[in-house]
Amino acid sequence: MTGSPASTAAGDLLADLIAHGVRDLVLSPGSRSQALALAATALDRAGLLRVHVRVDERVAGFTALGIARETRVPVAVVCTSGTAAGNLLPAVMEAFHSGVPLLLMTADRPPELRGVGANQATVQTGIFGPFVRWTVDAPVPGSAPVPVSENTDEMSPARRAAGEHAVGAPECLRNPTAESGAEPMAGTAPVSDVTDEARAAQRGGDRHAAHHADGLWGPTADAATAWSGLGVQAVEAALGLTGEGVPGVAGPVHLNLPAREPLSAATEVTAVPGPAPSPPASDPLLLARGPRTVVIAGADAGADAEEIAHAGGWPLIAEIVSGSRFGRQLVHDYRGLLRDERLGGRVERAVVFGHPTLSREVTALLSRRDVEVIAVRGGGEPLDLNARTTAASAVTVEAGETDRQWLGAWMIASQAAAIDLSEAAPDQDGLSSKDPLARAEAVRAELDAVRRPVDRALLADAVWRATWPHDRLVFGSSRLVRVADQVLGGKKVPVHANRGLAGIDGTIATAIGIAVASQGDGALGVTRVLLGDLAALHDVGALLLPAGERAPRIQVVVGNDGGGTIFDGLEVAASAPQNDLDRAFYTPHAARFADLAAAYGWEYQRVSTRSALDQALTSPVTGPQLIEVPLERR
Ligand SMILES: Cc1ncc(C[n+]2csc(CCOP(=O)(O)OP(=O)(O)O)c2C)c(N)n1
C-alpha cells in the first residue's frame, strides 16, 4: 500500500496487462492520469513496457492503432479526462472497423464529481458508444470519504446516460462491495481526512448516492486491488475472445479509470511479462471445388487469400492494401476483367478476405444475388452486401482438380492487361554510336527520361519498387491509393491502410506507430507512407515526436496537387460551378511543407523528376523524412 491508492491500482493494472501480452503503451500528458503515467514510465525504465508519448490524444490513438496493426497485440492508450478522451474517438472507430485491438484507459473524476460542474469532468462512460467490445467504469481505488444515502431522485440526465452505457462490467466490478461482502460506507468522513475534492463531493453527496443506488458505484473494499483483474478481461475482450461484437474479431475496449486524491505517490511497480491469450482454433469451412470462383482480397486480407487462391486454382483479385497482391494467380487490371461478361459476368462464387473498398466492380460483384459470397472477415462488421453472404472464420479447399479453363481464361486476359511502368531500356547502340548526331539523340532521350516529371502512376510505382519485405508501406485514403490499386503489379511486401473507415485522418500517426513497432530490436527496414497533401495536412500534428524516444525510420511521401483532387472525379463536378467545387471540395491551400518539416525537425526533400524520386526513396534513412512530390491537378 502506498500513499496513493490510485498509484497502487495503476501498478496492478499495468502489471496485469503486461502479464497478458501487452508491451506498448501510448501516453498523453495530464494530471488526472498521473498514477498510470508514472507507473508506465517506471515499467518502461525497467524494460517491461515500451512507452510512447504523444501530446495530441488523436495522434496518440492513431499511433497506438499503428503499433497494434503491426503487432496484432493490444496496445494501451492512457489519457486524462475531458476532451482528451474524446480525441481518441477517430482511432477507436477505425480500430473497431478494421479489427485492431486497443485498450483505451481514460482517467476520470470520481463519481461524486461528475455532473456537478467540476473542472475537466464530463460523461466518459460509454463515450465510445458501439465501437468498443467491452467497457467498464472501474471502481475508485481506495475507500470513499463521501456520504452515501439511498436517494435516487437526483441523478442527472448525464449520469443516467453514463449508467446506461456502462455495459459489460461484471457485477463485482460495477459494485465492488457485491463480491467482498463489505458494507457500503455510510456517513461522512471526518473533515480532517478529506481532500478539497472530497469536500466538493460531500456537497453533492446525494448525487453520489444516486450512483451507488444505481448499482454502479460503491467504495472499494480493498484499495490495493481496485483495478486488479481488469487487465486480463480487457485483453481478452480486445482480442475478441470475449465481449460484444463478432466473436474472434479483435477491437477496442474502454477502461474508464476514476481516482481520488492523492492522485499519485511514489510507488514500486513490477511486472512479469507473459504471453497474450490466443484465440481458440476455429473450424475452417471446407470449400468445394465446383463453382467458378474468384478470391477477393480486400484491406488486411493478408497472405491467406493468396494461399487459398493457390490451393483452389482460382484467380486472385487483390487490392493494393490487401497484403496478398502477389503470386501466380494474381489478376492484373481486375476492374476491367470483372466488367468483362466472359469473366466477371460468369463468376458463381466469391471468397472474400479482408475488407474490399477500392473499386465499384468488386462492390458490384459482391452485391449480386446470383453470386455465392463467402466472407472470411478479420475485423469490424461482417460483410454482407448481397444479403446472403456466408460468414466464415477460416476456409480450406477440398482436394481435387483445378478448373484449368476458368483459371486460364483469367490469366490470359490478366497478362494482356498488365501495365508496364518500367522505363524503356537505354539505347545502348545510340549512346555508343560513332555518329555524333545519333549519339546526341540517344543522350537527349536519356535525359528526357531522367527529367520526366512525376505523375501519380509513376509516384506509386516508384514507392512500390523501393519497398521490400523488411519495409512497411502505408497508404493514405487519397486518390493515390486508387491509382496504385489500378497500376501496380504483384509484390510480396507488408502493406497497411486504414480502410476500416477510409478516413484521411491519422495516416501519419498510424504509419509512425507501424514504423516504431516494426523497427524494434535492431530490425531493418523503412516505413513509407504515400498520401495526398490534404491527408498529410490533416495529420500534421503527428510530426511532433518526443525528443527522448528513438526516431522512426519513416518516409512520408506527399503527392502535392494543391488540394483534394479526388473530388474532381465526382459526377457533380461536370455541372456544379467550378468556384464552388474548388472552395467546398478541392479546398486549395498554399501550405509550405518545407517549413512544416523544418518546424518539426524532419528532413525534407522536394523531388519532381523520376530519377530524383528514385534517389530520394532509395537513399539511407536514419530518421523521419518528408518527401514532397508536386503533382498536376489533373
Ligand atoms: C476524416 C475524413 N474527412 C474527410 C474525408 C473525405 N475525403 C476523402 S479524400 C479527401 C481529400 C483528400 O485529399 P488529398 O489527401 O490531398 O488527396 P487527393 O485527393 O488530392 O489525391 C477527403 C476530404 C475522409 N475520407 N476522411
Side-chain angles (χ1 to χ4, degrees), residues 355-609:
H355 185 201
T357 60
L358 288 176
S359 76
R360 288 179 185 188
E361 288 77 3
V362 166
T363 302
L365 176 75
L366 302 182
S367 305
R368 270 169 49 186
R369 299 274 303 165
D370 63 321
V371 172
E372 180 192 1
V373 181
I374 295 161
V376 186
R377 190 79 205 277
E381 294 159 349
L383 180 81
D384 188 10
L385 294 175
N386 66 352
R388 55 176 294 249
T389 296
T390 305
S393 50
V395 290
T396 181
V397 184
E398 77 173 4
E401 288 292 302
T402 293
D403 181 345
R404 302 228 161 261
Q405 260 195 332
W406 176 243
L407 180 63
W410 278 85
M411 291 300 101
I412 290 166
S414 164
Q415 234 163 9
I419 295 169
D420 184 8
L421 290 166
S422 58
E423 208 56 71
D427 175 7
Q428 293 298 355
D429 290 347
L431 288 171
S432 55
S433 169
K434 295 223 160 57
D435 175 0
L437 278 180
R439 221 170 41 237
E441 182 59 29
V443 168
R444 210 183 54 223
E446 207 38 33
L447 282 176
D448 281 353
V450 167
R451 291 185 191 138
R452 193 169 152 199
V454 177
D455 61 18
R456 288 181 186 78
L458 283 188
L459 173 55
D461 179 54
V463 173
W464 192 236
R465 276 187 292 107
T467 302
W468 295 101
H470 57 274
D471 297 326
R472 301 291 181 274
L473 181 52
V474 183
F475 285 99
S477 292
S478 309
R479 196 169 143 191
L480 281 161
V481 68
R482 290 178 190 272
V483 173
D485 191 52
Q486 280 161 5
V487 302
L488 298 181
K491 192 169 185 182
K492 193 172 181 180
V493 290
V495 176
H496 291 278
N498 284 337
R499 299 301 302 177
L501 288 175
I504 60 164
D505 46 350
T507 318
I508 298 175
T510 303
I512 290 173
I514 289 164
V516 162
S518 61
Q519 293 167 9
D521 300 332
L524 298 173
V526 173
T527 296
R528 294 189 182 83
V529 51
L530 181 61
L531 77 177
D533 44 294
L534 287 194
L537 292 171
H538 205 297
D539 201 26
V540 78
L543 300 183
L544 182 62
L545 292 169
E549 291 173 25
R550 192 158 49 83
R553 293 187 302 275
I554 187 166
Q555 291 185 319
V556 172
V557 184
V558 183
N560 187 358
D561 49 24
T565 59
I566 202 166
F567 301 119
D568 292 345
L570 291 179
E571 267 170 38
V572 71
S575 54
Q578 189 60 43
N579 280 349
D580 291 359
L581 288 168
D582 281 358
R583 186 168 172 223
F585 297 97
Y586 177 59
T587 49
H589 65 86
R592 293 190 300 273
F593 283 97
D595 291 348
L596 286 171
Y600 287 101
W602 283 49
E603 267 182 50
Y604 169 83
Q605 287 186 69
R606 184 176 190 274
V607 292
S608 50
T609 63

